[in-house]
Amino acid sequence: MASLLKMWIALVLLIATTMLALPANDLFGSQQQLLWAAITVLLAQLLGPLAITQAIGQQRLTPGRAALGQGLAAGLALLCSLSLLTSANAVLSTSVWLLGVGVTLVVILSSLAQQALELRLQLSAGLAAVTVTITTLLLMLAPVWLAPLTASTGAGENLGAIALFLSPLSLLAGLADIDFMRSSWFYRYSELAALPFTYPPLVLLLALYAGLMIHTRSICLRAPNPSTAIPPETH
């Protein structure tokens, strides 16, 4: 648990530092809340494996418990970081707590995915963490990089639905009731924001994440543990 505590402290410091460094007129505007949540997810993905890999290797944590610990640490880190820079009443708002829940869910899934890459593909912890972080960032920005296809294919509405379904921002924003596609940033960089679209049902997204968690956890449990492997005989 000491490794998870170190990760939590590092997350709080990094998130708070990032909040102070980025220009923001209102830390608790809905769009800013979503930005901090997304940053927390990405930082947790980069820092988490460095904290939990040793614990798993020493058989102190199972993959599921390690992912749960990493997810809870990330969610609490977001709340603590916001509490350091704003009033306590603002942190107690329902939308902020729901964003913390969303961060926890996304980080649990990404932690399981990172562990699956380590166990099944024998990737190093650092490479697996970077792979999962880059993939998450690309999925978050799916409404942006899928936008150029709308003009060439004429399937803007369908592409918008696919992009929103792929993006973890849909889950985070759905829990906190934030209309992120109507933000000025997405209007500027995504043609999909100007098209008619409907956000995926929150229940469907929660069911999808639950199913993916169960599947990736089963992959981790079926994978051979390198620490228990019998070393080859030497002659």
Side-chain angles (χ1 to χ4, degrees):
M1 299 305 292
S3 57
L4 288 174
L5 178 60
K6 292 177 182 178
M7 188 202 80
W8 175 78
I9 294 174
L11 270 176
V12 171
L13 295 176
L14 283 172
I15 296 166
T17 302
T18 305
M19 288 178 179
L20 292 173
L22 292 177
N25 296 325
D26 181 9
L27 274 177
F28 267 85
S30 60
Q31 306 301 331
Q32 293 298 334
Q33 291 176 16
L34 187 60
L35 173 62
W36 307 141
I39 290 174
T40 301
V41 168
L42 298 175
L43 289 176
Q45 290 172 346
L46 288 174
L47 292 178
L50 302 178
I52 66 176
T53 300
Q54 183 180 4
I56 294 174
Q58 296 176 355
Q59 298 182 345
R60 294 202 301 261
L61 288 175
T62 62
R65 290 181 179 179
L68 177 61
Q70 186 179 343
L72 290 174
L76 291 174
L78 174 65
L79 299 178
C80 291
S81 302
L82 291 172
S83 68
L84 291 174
L85 302 176
T86 57
S87 64
N89 291 334
V91 177
L92 293 177
S93 65
T94 304
S95 62
V96 173
W97 280 91
L98 289 175
L99 270 179
V101 172
V103 167
T104 299
L105 295 176
V106 176
V107 172
I108 288 175
L109 177 57
S110 62
S111 176
L112 289 170
Q114 178 261 327
Q115 294 174 62
L117 289 175
E118 287 187 51
L119 294 171
R120 296 292 291 185
L121 300 182
Q122 301 298 305
L123 297 183
S124 66
L127 180 57
V130 171
T131 300
V132 170
T133 303
I134 292 176
T135 301
T136 302
L137 180 60
L138 289 175
L139 291 176
M140 284 182 176
L141 297 177
V144 175
W145 56 263
L146 279 177
L149 297 177
T150 59
S152 59
T153 62
E157 189 170 349
N158 293 332
L159 284 176
I162 294 173
L164 292 174
F165 195 78
L166 291 175
S167 179
L169 294 180
S170 295
L171 176 66
L172 297 173
L175 286 168
D177 195 23
I178 299 174
D179 186 7
F180 72 95
M181 285 296 291
R182 305 295 186 191
S183 67
S184 58
W185 191 90
F186 275 99
Y187 262 121
R188 186 179 302 117
Y189 294 106
S190 176
E191 299 175 15
L192 299 178
L195 299 174
F197 63 87
T198 303
Y199 290 109
L202 182 58
V203 174
L204 180 60
L205 290 175
L206 290 172
L208 172 66
Y209 274 73
L212 290 174
M213 288 178 194
I214 294 172
H215 180 63
T216 51
R217 179 177 177 272
S218 67
I219 292 176
C220 294
L221 294 177
R222 292 197 306 268
N225 190 336
S227 63
T228 60
I230 300 175
E233 294 184 0
T234 58
H235 299 284

